[in-house]
């Protein structure tokens, strides 16, 4: 039986292209899974639609005003006085404190302005009004 010479065997090679494919697959997988982990603690409201909407997830307080006029801080109901007190205390602690208000499109405009006026009276000057993109 004749065996091949040791020098005739190919040297082992590392296949780079499949490794790059796997790395890109893992990158995409982790990007998508990270996006699904973002947990916005909010409740459902029928927000008004706007064409030029910007997304900003770096808001300190997310306040929701439902159609019945109830106020929610993230996903918990709260009274207006407690909301203003907490926001005022947080505003003193945090330099770039901001409040985003998500309001149902059927909420009375006057009630929304009263809430914003109370925030302004508490010394909070950074507001955002949330809307859904078209």
């Amino acid at each position: 039986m004749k065996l091949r010479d040791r020098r005739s065997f190919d040297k082992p090679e590392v296949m780079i292209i499949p490794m790059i494919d796997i790395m890109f697959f893992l990158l995409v997988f982790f990007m998508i899974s990270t996006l699904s982990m973002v947990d916005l603690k909010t409740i459902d409201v029928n927000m008004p639609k706007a064409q030029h909407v910007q997304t900003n997830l770096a808001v300190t307080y997310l306040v929701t005003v439902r159609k019945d006029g109830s106020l929610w801080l993230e996903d918990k109901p709260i009274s207006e006085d407690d909301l203003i007190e907490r926001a005022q205390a947080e505003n003193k602690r945090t330099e770039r404190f901001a409040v985003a208000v998500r309001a149902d499109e059927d909420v009375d405009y006057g009630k929304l302005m009263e809430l914003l006026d109370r925030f302004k009276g508490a010394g909070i000057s950074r507001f955002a009004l949330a809307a859904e993109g078209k």
Side-chain angles (χ1 to χ4, degrees):
M1 169 160 41
K2 185 174 178 182
L3 296 175
R4 288 194 293 177
D5 187 18
R6 289 181 129 184
R7 288 176 281 181
S8 67
F9 286 112
D10 291 334
K11 291 183 180 179
E13 295 178 4
V14 177
M15 302 292 281
I16 298 294
I17 301 299
M19 288 177 63
I20 292 173
D21 290 343
I22 290 171
M23 294 306 292
F24 278 127
F25 174 76
L26 289 173
L27 177 68
V28 170
F29 171 77
F30 285 118
M31 285 173 49
I32 291 174
S33 63
T34 302
L35 289 175
S36 68
M37 286 185 214
V38 174
D39 185 25
L40 291 177
K41 295 179 180 179
T42 61
I43 59 168
D44 265 351
V45 289
N46 188 18
M47 291 192 304
K49 310 235 183 316
Q51 190 169 9
H52 303 287
V53 177
Q54 293 180 345
T55 302
N56 183 3
L57 296 177
V59 173
T60 310
Y61 264 35
L62 190 57
V63 178
T64 304
V65 182
R66 295 188 75 181
K67 188 187 298 189
D68 61 0
S70 63
L71 293 173
W72 295 71
L73 179 59
E74 294 178 351
D75 61 345
K76 295 176 180 59
I78 190 168
S79 70
E80 189 171 340
D81 293 331
D82 287 343
L83 176 67
I84 299 300
E85 287 176 19
R86 285 174 145 188
Q88 191 173 22
E90 187 68 27
N91 187 34
K92 289 178 182 174
R93 284 193 326 213
T94 308
E95 181 180 321
R96 297 192 45 88
F97 179 75
V99 175
V101 179
R102 300 174 68 239
D104 193 279
E105 65 182 354
D106 295 328
V107 169
D108 182 34
Y109 185 70
K111 289 186 181 189
L112 190 58
M113 288 308 298
E114 286 176 17
L115 178 65
L116 295 177
D117 188 47
R118 289 210 49 199
F119 278 129
K120 186 73 171 173
I124 299 164
S125 59
R126 298 179 54 141
F127 306 106
L129 296 175
E132 287 183 0
K134 285 186 177 181

